[in-house]
Amino acid sequence: MELDEFLEVSTLLDYYKNLLSDKQREYLINHFEDDLSLSEIAKNNDVSRQAVYDNIKRGIKLLKDYEEKLGFHEREKQVYQELLELKKDFKIEKLNNIIEKLF
């Protein structure tokens, strides 16, 4: 897994982890936040490495599906960019525009 994808999954996990099954959430957190290997996770949960891999793979797909449908992370990135632009050239109209988009 490339670093960009690793970071993307870690970020999406922050947004959507509560929508995953208990096992998917646990395995993804163990792997992406606690930096455990698949073998370590499997040993800790008394399951096969393949079971951990399959759960993580399905969990990643779900996280990406949730982001595609809900778009919370993308929306936050857009607001962040707009705020950076506002910081460079503050105008009350720009601020009002950002606020209107949020609600």
Side-chain angles (χ1 to χ4, degrees):
M1 178 178 288
E2 297 291 321
L3 180 59
D4 288 345
E5 185 180 5
F6 187 89
L7 292 173
E8 177 190 12
V9 171
S10 294
T11 301
L12 294 178
L13 187 57
D14 285 339
Y15 282 94
Y16 304 114
K17 65 183 163 198
N18 291 328
L19 300 175
L20 299 172
S21 73
D22 291 341
K23 282 295 176 193
Q24 287 169 338
R25 181 174 48 250
E26 179 183 350
Y27 294 168
L28 284 165
I29 288 171
N30 284 169
H31 189 60
F32 289 98
E33 293 180 6
D34 300 337
D35 201 29
L36 297 181
S37 70
L38 299 182
S39 297
E40 290 170 318
I41 297 168
K43 184 178 179 183
N44 292 345
N45 290 278
D46 198 30
V47 296
S48 70
R49 185 184 177 285
Q50 186 65 42
V52 172
Y53 174 82
D54 291 343
N55 267 290
I56 288 176
K57 200 73 167 166
R58 280 192 304 272
I60 290 171
K61 182 180 181 330
L62 282 172
L63 292 173
K64 290 179 179 182
D65 288 347
Y66 291 139
E67 176 59 19
E68 185 178 316
K69 292 174 185 170
L70 301 172
F72 291 140
H73 177 57
E74 187 59 37
R75 182 176 179 201
E76 189 173 281
K77 287 190 324 187
Q78 289 173 351
V79 169
Y80 179 73
Q81 287 303 317
E82 291 175 4
L83 290 172
L84 288 177
E85 289 299 317
L86 181 64
K87 183 179 177 183
K88 291 179 189 175
D89 181 28
F90 181 82
K91 293 186 176 142
I92 195 70
E93 299 84 26
K94 287 183 180 182
L95 176 60
N96 288 333
N97 188 24
I98 293 169
I99 292 171
E100 285 177 24
K101 285 182 188 178
L102 291 174
F103 302 100

Coordinates of all heavy atoms in Angstrom, one line a residue, residues 2 4 10 13 18 22 27 35 41 44 50 64 66-67 70 76 79 84 97:
E2 N 0.6 2.1 -0.9 CA 1.4 3.4 -1.0 C 1.0 4.3 0.1 O 0.0 4.2 0.7 CB 1.0 4.1 -2.4 CG 1.4 3.3 -3.6 CD 2.9 3.2 -3.8 OE1 3.6 4.2 -3.5 OE2 3.3 2.1 -4.2
D4 N 0.3 7.5 0.1 CA -0.9 8.3 -0.1 C -2.2 7.5 0.2 O -3.1 8.1 0.9 CB -1.0 8.7 -1.6 CG 0.0 9.8 -1.9 OD1 0.6 10.4 -1.0 OD2 0.3 10.1 -3.1
S10 N -6.4 6.2 6.6 CA -6.4 6.7 8.0 C -7.3 7.8 8.2 O -8.0 7.9 9.3 CB -4.9 7.1 8.4 OG -4.1 6.0 8.3
L13 N -10.9 6.7 8.1 CA -11.2 5.9 9.3 C -11.7 6.8 10.4 O -12.6 6.5 11.1 CB -10.0 5.1 9.7 CG -10.1 4.1 10.8 CD1 -11.2 3.1 10.6 CD2 -8.8 3.4 11.1
N18 N -17.2 4.6 12.9 CA -18.4 4.1 13.6 C -19.4 3.5 12.7 O -20.4 2.9 13.2 CB -19.0 5.3 14.4 CG -18.1 5.7 15.5 OD1 -17.4 4.9 16.1 ND2 -18.1 7.0 15.9
D22 N -17.9 -4.1 14.1 CA -16.9 -4.1 15.2 C -15.6 -4.6 14.9 O -14.5 -4.1 15.2 CB -17.5 -4.8 16.5 CG -18.7 -4.1 17.1 OD1 -18.9 -2.9 16.9 OD2 -19.4 -4.8 17.8
Y27 N -9.9 -4.1 13.5 CA -8.8 -4.5 12.7 C -8.1 -3.3 12.0 O -6.9 -3.2 11.9 CB -9.2 -5.6 11.6 CG -9.6 -6.9 12.2 CD1 -10.2 -7.9 11.4 CD2 -9.4 -7.3 13.5 CE1 -10.6 -9.1 11.9 CE2 -9.7 -8.5 14.0 CZ -10.3 -9.4 13.2 OH -10.7 -10.6 13.7
D35 N -0.4 0.4 14.1 CA 0.7 -0.1 13.3 C 1.0 -1.5 13.6 O 2.2 -1.9 13.6 CB 1.9 0.8 13.5 CG 2.9 0.7 12.4 OD1 2.4 0.5 11.3 OD2 4.1 0.9 12.6
I41 N -2.3 -8.9 14.4 CA -3.8 -8.8 14.6 C -4.4 -10.1 14.6 O -5.2 -10.4 15.5 CB -4.4 -7.9 13.5 CG1 -3.8 -6.5 13.5 CG2 -5.9 -7.8 13.7 CD1 -4.2 -5.6 12.3
N44 N -3.6 -11.9 17.9 CA -4.3 -11.2 19.0 C -5.8 -11.6 19.1 O -6.4 -11.6 20.1 CB -4.2 -9.7 19.0 CG -2.7 -9.2 19.3 OD1 -1.9 -10.0 19.7 ND2 -2.5 -8.0 18.9
Q50 N -5.6 -14.4 6.9 CA -6.4 -14.2 5.7 C -7.8 -13.6 6.2 O -8.3 -12.7 5.5 CB -6.7 -15.5 5.0 CG -7.5 -15.3 3.7 CD -6.8 -14.5 2.6 OE1 -5.6 -14.7 2.4 NE2 -7.5 -13.6 2.0
K64 N -14.2 4.0 1.6 CA -14.2 4.7 0.3 C -15.6 4.9 -0.2 O -15.9 6.0 -0.8 CB -13.3 4.0 -0.7 CG -11.9 4.1 -0.3 CD -11.0 3.4 -1.3 CE -9.5 3.5 -0.9 NZ -8.6 2.9 -1.9
Y66 N -18.4 5.1 1.6 CA -19.0 6.2 2.5 C -18.5 7.6 2.1 O -19.4 8.5 2.0 CB -18.7 5.9 3.9 CG -19.3 4.7 4.5 CD1 -18.6 3.9 5.4 CD2 -20.7 4.4 4.2 CE1 -19.2 2.8 6.0 CE2 -21.3 3.3 4.8 CZ -20.5 2.5 5.7 OH -21.1 1.4 6.2
E67 N -17.3 7.7 1.8 CA -16.8 9.0 1.4 C -17.4 9.4 0.0 O -17.7 10.6 -0.2 CB -15.2 9.0 1.3 CG -14.7 10.3 0.8 CD -15.0 11.6 1.6 OE1 -15.4 11.5 2.8 OE2 -14.9 12.7 1.1
L70 N -21.1 10.3 1.0 CA -21.3 11.3 2.0 C -20.4 12.6 1.8 O -20.8 13.7 2.0 CB -21.2 10.8 3.4 CG -22.1 9.6 3.8 CD1 -21.8 9.0 5.1 CD2 -23.6 10.1 3.8
E76 N -14.7 19.1 3.8 CA -13.8 19.7 4.8 C -12.5 20.3 4.0 O -12.1 21.4 4.4 CB -13.4 18.8 5.9 CG -12.6 19.4 7.0 CD -12.4 18.5 8.2 OE1 -13.3 18.3 9.0 OE2 -11.3 18.0 8.3
V79 N -13.6 23.5 2.3 CA -13.7 24.6 3.2 C -12.3 25.1 3.7 O -12.1 26.3 3.7 CB -14.6 24.2 4.4 CG1 -14.5 25.3 5.5 CG2 -16.0 24.0 4.0
L84 N -8.2 29.3 3.5 CA -6.8 29.8 3.2 C -6.8 31.0 2.3 O -6.1 31.9 2.4 CB -6.0 28.6 2.6 CG -5.5 27.5 3.6 CD1 -4.8 26.4 2.8 CD2 -4.7 28.1 4.7
N97 N -20.0 34.0 2.0 CA -20.2 32.9 1.0 C -19.8 31.6 1.6 O -20.5 30.6 1.4 CB -19.3 33.3 -0.3 CG -19.6 32.3 -1.4 OD1 -20.7 31.7 -1.5 ND2 -18.6 32.2 -2.3

